[in-house]
Amino acid sequence: MIRHIVAYRFRPEVTPEQAAAVVAAMDEFPAHHPAMINFHSGVNRSNRDDRFTHAFTVEFRTEQELTEYLSSERHETFVAEVFRPVVAERAIVSYEYSPSEGDMMTAPTRRRAPFGMEYARIEVPDIEATIQFLIYHVGLQLEGRTDDRAYLRADIEHHSIELIAAPHREAGHTVAVGFSVENDEVLADLQKRVADAGMEIRDLEERQQALCRQGFATVDPNGLVVELFVDFQEYAEAPHVEIRPLDLVHPFLVTDNFDATVAFYQDVLGFIPSDHVVGSTTFFRCEDRYHHSLAISRNREPGTFVAHLCFAMKSFDHVMRMRARALYKGSPIASDLVNHSASTSIAFYLHDPKHGPRFELCDSHRVFTPEEHETHRARHMPADPRNIDVWRPAADDWGRF
């Protein structure tokens, strides 16, 4: 194992609020780098040496994983644009050690969930129109195109959206979602859990088989295909697009088969409840520690559908720039700025039915610390619009959605 330690102090002119924002940004790194283990950060409490004010530690299984993290675009951009301008001094130590039995005992013993969402597969009536919509309004980059398929990506992962031409449809329809898994052992355990629950085990869609090392598919209680896999292909660097999403965070599933759907994702696949809106919605997280990598909402009417897909943008400024594009083009904003109570993100929603579900563009989606991820107790919040959006004025304000 490699332990990596960074101690640092901020410049005197840096305000507490600025320092807190930098620390919060660093705390989000493990959500984007699965190789980071046992990440901890904090303020220096030493009475003997106050040269450095803050520090963090993180572990990697191999030196190669540490090198890949240090040379990643996300890390290099953060250091150059965010960290160095506000830090007066730093000290870095990396050393190798052999974990003891006690170290191994601190690892979580629960069965692992999928790591995080990678893509949605959407059938659309006009594939060219949807490609242009996603490029201009969401900031995705087209990476592959045939007569009947298109792949668009947000960051280094091979794709975030796969489009299938479906001229027979009047509106776009999400037919599958894909979640990456940390390693072969977790994948095998997930497949066993699905089989033990009497659920169907399928091969991955043929084209997806070529984009990962191995995996399998199953079907949730609503007929939505869920693909699980390891070693999803990645590009060496992110798209050279200034205003683009950093990540595909979650799907929001609305279903009239709520209880069975919750049981499948929680009891079979191991998704972890983060919060509940009583009688309405459950927010689930994966191992990437986003507040929710999946939301399931009860539909009072017959039917099941993916209501929206959430993309995390680089900043609130980028959210507002995309909102300005929508206003300029007259593209339908299905729900304007929302300050989410549970996930702490601020977002707006675009929706043109022919392109599929709503597309949520958000900033500052909450990422749990490793400790919170293991110990957080899901809240049971009343079905009040202020538990969806803190900017709602009253308990009877349901108008925005």
Side-chain angles (χ1 to χ4, degrees):
M1 298 285 290
I2 303 294
R3 181 170 286 146
H4 181 66
I5 303 172
V6 178
Y8 58 98
R9 64 181 173 89
F10 288 102
R11 297 180 186 273
E13 66 270 20
V14 174
T15 67
E17 292 76 17
Q18 291 172 320
V22 173
V23 172
M26 285 193 290
D27 288 345
E28 293 184 5
F29 264 77
H32 303 283
H33 294 274
M36 298 176 75
I37 304 170
N38 294 331
F39 177 88
H40 302 278
S41 69
V43 177
N44 185 11
R45 301 292 298 274
S46 173
N47 295 321
R48 293 173 177 248
D49 190 343
D50 61 358
R51 175 178 169 185
F52 297 108
T53 60
H54 294 71
F56 72 83
T57 67
V58 64
E59 297 173 357
F60 297 85
R61 292 183 178 86
T62 66
E63 191 165 355
Q64 177 64 28
E65 289 182 344
L66 171 60
T67 300
E68 290 174 354
Y69 155 71
L70 294 175
S71 61
S72 67
E73 184 196 26
R74 183 183 295 276
H75 178 268
E76 291 187 343
T77 300
F78 174 81
V79 170
E81 298 181 2
V82 180
F83 189 74
R84 284 179 183 157
V86 297
V87 168
E89 187 179 10
R90 65 178 180 175
I92 302 174
V93 176
S94 299
Y95 65 90
E96 186 175 8
Y97 77 99
S98 298
S100 65
E101 183 177 346
D103 294 328
M104 301 305 292
M105 290 176 64
T106 63
T109 58
R110 61 175 175 78
R111 300 175 86 171
R112 305 291 280 179
F115 180 76
M117 188 180 188
E118 300 293 352
Y119 58 79
R121 183 176 299 130
I122 309 172
E123 294 183 352
V124 294
D126 185 342
I127 191 169
E128 182 59 35
T130 301
I131 289 171
Q132 296 307 316
F133 177 88
L134 293 175
I135 290 173
Y136 184 80
H137 288 295
V138 181
L140 301 184
Q141 179 166 299
L142 179 65
E143 290 297 341
R145 173 73 194 277
T146 65
D147 289 342
D148 64 345
R149 298 263 178 156
Y151 293 101
L152 298 100
R153 69 179 171 117
D155 201 56
I156 61 172
E157 293 80 11
H158 184 274
H159 64 277
S160 300
I161 298 292
E162 177 183 358
L163 299 177
I164 300 178
H168 62 284
R169 289 193 178 276
E170 294 183 0
H173 179 68
T174 305
V175 295
V177 291
F179 288 85
S180 59
V181 176
E182 291 171 287
N183 54 50
D184 292 352
E185 291 75 18
V186 175
L187 182 69
D189 183 54
L190 284 166
Q191 184 165 339
K192 182 178 185 302
R193 281 184 260 168
V194 171
D196 289 347
M199 310 292 288
E200 180 183 5
I201 301 290
R202 294 183 178 183
D203 292 335
L204 293 175
E205 203 266 355
E206 183 177 357
R207 289 173 175 82
Q208 179 58 25
Q209 291 181 35
L211 299 176
C212 62
R213 185 162 54 78
Q214 65 171 326
F216 72 96
T218 188
V219 181
D220 82 359
N222 311 289
L224 179 68
V225 174
V226 180
E227 298 185 337
L228 303 160
F229 43 83
V230 292
D231 292 345
F232 190 40
Q233 289 184 9
E234 297 179 343
Y235 289 87
E237 59 183 14
H240 289 194
V241 178
E242 175 57 24
I243 305 177
R244 63 173 178 83
L246 295 177
D247 208 359
L248 175 60
V249 180
H250 66 252
F252 191 103
L253 182 62
V254 177
T255 176
D256 59 356
N257 195 14
F258 180 81
D259 293 335
T261 304
V262 166
F264 170 73
Y265 285 98
Q266 178 173 320
D267 300 337
V268 179
L269 295 186
F271 284 68
I272 306 167
S274 291
D275 283 310
H276 308 278
V277 177
V278 176
S280 171
T281 303
T282 294
F283 300 97
F284 286 105
R285 67 185 181 277
C286 287
E287 305 300 344
D288 60 7
R289 297 188 280 106
Y290 279 121
H291 175 271
H292 55 283
S293 295
L294 170 70
I296 303 172
S297 188
R298 188 186 301 274
N299 193 355
R300 304 295 179 181
E301 304 294 331
T304 297
F305 56 96
V306 174
H308 73 252
L309 299 170
C310 173
F311 283 94
M313 303 299 289
K314 183 177 181 180
S315 67
F316 183 61
D317 175 72
H318 284 195
V319 171
M320 294 302 290
R321 288 174 185 271
M322 285 305 194
R323 179 177 177 271
R325 288 187 182 188
L327 293 172
Y328 178 69
K329 291 290 188 180
S331 297
I333 295 178
S335 183
D336 211 341
L337 292 172
V338 174
N339 188 344
H340 288 110
S341 314
S343 65
T344 70
S345 66
I346 299 177
F348 79 99
Y349 297 75
L350 286 163
H351 189 216
D352 186 330
K354 65 177 175 288
H355 302 312
R358 296 183 181 194
F359 291 93
E360 175 189 359
L361 304 184
C362 82
D363 176 52
S364 299
H365 188 106
R366 179 182 178 185
V367 179
F368 283 23
T369 66
E371 293 81 5
E372 289 173 329
H373 184 48
E374 302 300 336
T375 62
H376 174 77
R377 182 176 179 180
R379 296 169 292 183
H380 289 76
M381 301 181 291
D384 184 309
R386 292 167 295 185
N387 285 326
I388 299 172
D389 175 10
V390 298
W391 288 337
R392 298 296 183 91
D396 60 355
D397 175 29
W398 290 100
R400 189 169 297 177
F401 288 95

